[in-house]
Amino acid sequence: MKTKTKFETILICLLLLMIGFVGCSNDEDNEKFSFPNHNEENVESFFQTASNEMFNGMRVFFRDTTIKGEAVCVINNEKDFRSAYFGRGQLPQIDFSIYSLVIGKVYIDAGYYLKEQKILLDGKSQTLYLYFEHTKEGAITAFVEYLFWGVYPKLSTREITIKKFNHGIEKNV
């Protein structure tokens, strides 16, 4: 009888230990996603206009000729926002005491749109995930410059890596 009790005790201990290992994940404990806040209509309208202007060849952002490829920047104050914008429109109000503006440009196939974006904060670096979907309408096969933006909870760094996904497939940036 004592052997059966010892065996059951050891079995229960092993099961509890296994549950403990399954419950702990090194990667998931350190990773945290941050999502953009899109509840300001004036911000949405401003960037829609800016996107249209960039699509039509106007350099309202990323005017610097040294920025030829894809780019992303984090703006944490109104002064930096004003100096990054070269258009004629009125800048929207963003509370930079609690938010950061992430703005960038990427090249994508015409006919794709940004479905979702989120930033992975893992304590070491920040990675911006951009998920693109194809529109249901026909489109010319060509690369276009695409302006993206997001108002995120305050970010502590200006360094962000971009990862693009088209239909769930990662595209190199």
Side-chain angles (χ1 to χ4, degrees):
M1 190 78 162
K2 285 185 177 183
T3 307
K4 186 176 180 184
T5 307
K6 283 183 182 179
F7 178 74
E8 289 173 348
T9 304
I10 291 172
L11 184 60
I12 289 171
C13 288
L14 285 174
L15 285 173
L16 290 174
L17 188 61
M18 287 174 49
I19 290 170
F21 281 126
V22 171
C24 295
S25 172
N26 294 343
D27 294 340
E28 290 178 6
D29 289 346
N30 296 329
E31 296 179 349
K32 177 184 168 195
F33 282 104
S34 179
F35 295 89
N37 176 3
H38 289 293
N39 61 0
E40 297 291 330
E41 188 175 313
N42 62 338
V43 176
E44 182 83 32
S45 175
F46 171 81
F47 279 103
Q48 185 59 48
T49 300
S51 294
N52 291 339
E53 289 172 340
M54 280 191 74
F55 185 75
N56 290 322
M58 296 175 66
R59 289 279 168 222
V60 294
F61 287 102
F62 305 105
R63 194 176 221 176
D64 187 350
T65 56
T66 61
I67 302 175
K68 299 234 186 258
E70 298 183 324
V72 63
C73 68
V74 177
I75 298 174
N76 280 317
N77 60 56
E78 190 173 336
K79 180 184 173 202
D80 289 347
F81 192 17
R82 269 189 260 116
S83 41
Y85 179 63
F86 299 99
R88 296 185 195 123
Q90 178 72 28
L91 291 177
Q93 292 294 316
I94 296 173
D95 185 354
F96 286 109
S97 67
I98 57 174
Y99 295 113
S100 293
L101 172 63
V102 175
I103 186 167
K105 66 174 184 158
V106 293
Y107 292 95
I108 62 171
D109 291 325
Y112 279 83
Y113 68 96
L114 184 61
K115 181 178 181 183
E116 181 185 6
Q117 62 176 298
K118 59 187 175 183
I119 295 178
L120 175 64
L121 311 167
D122 70 0
K124 300 172 193 165
S125 62
Q126 297 181 13
T127 304
L128 175 64
Y129 290 84
L130 301 173
Y131 298 92
F132 291 93
E133 287 282 322
H134 196 276
T135 61
K136 298 197 185 326
E137 303 164 1
I140 299 171
T141 304
F143 263 176
V144 295
E145 190 174 61
Y146 186 91
L147 178 70
F148 67 87
W149 62 276
V151 177
Y152 284 86
K154 196 70 167 181
L155 299 171
S156 61
T157 184
R158 292 179 178 261
E159 296 292 320
I160 293 183
T161 303
I162 301 172
K163 286 196 176 191
K164 293 188 305 185
F165 296 86
N166 292 356
H167 294 299
I169 301 169
E170 184 176 354
K171 300 291 182 181
N172 293 330
V173 177

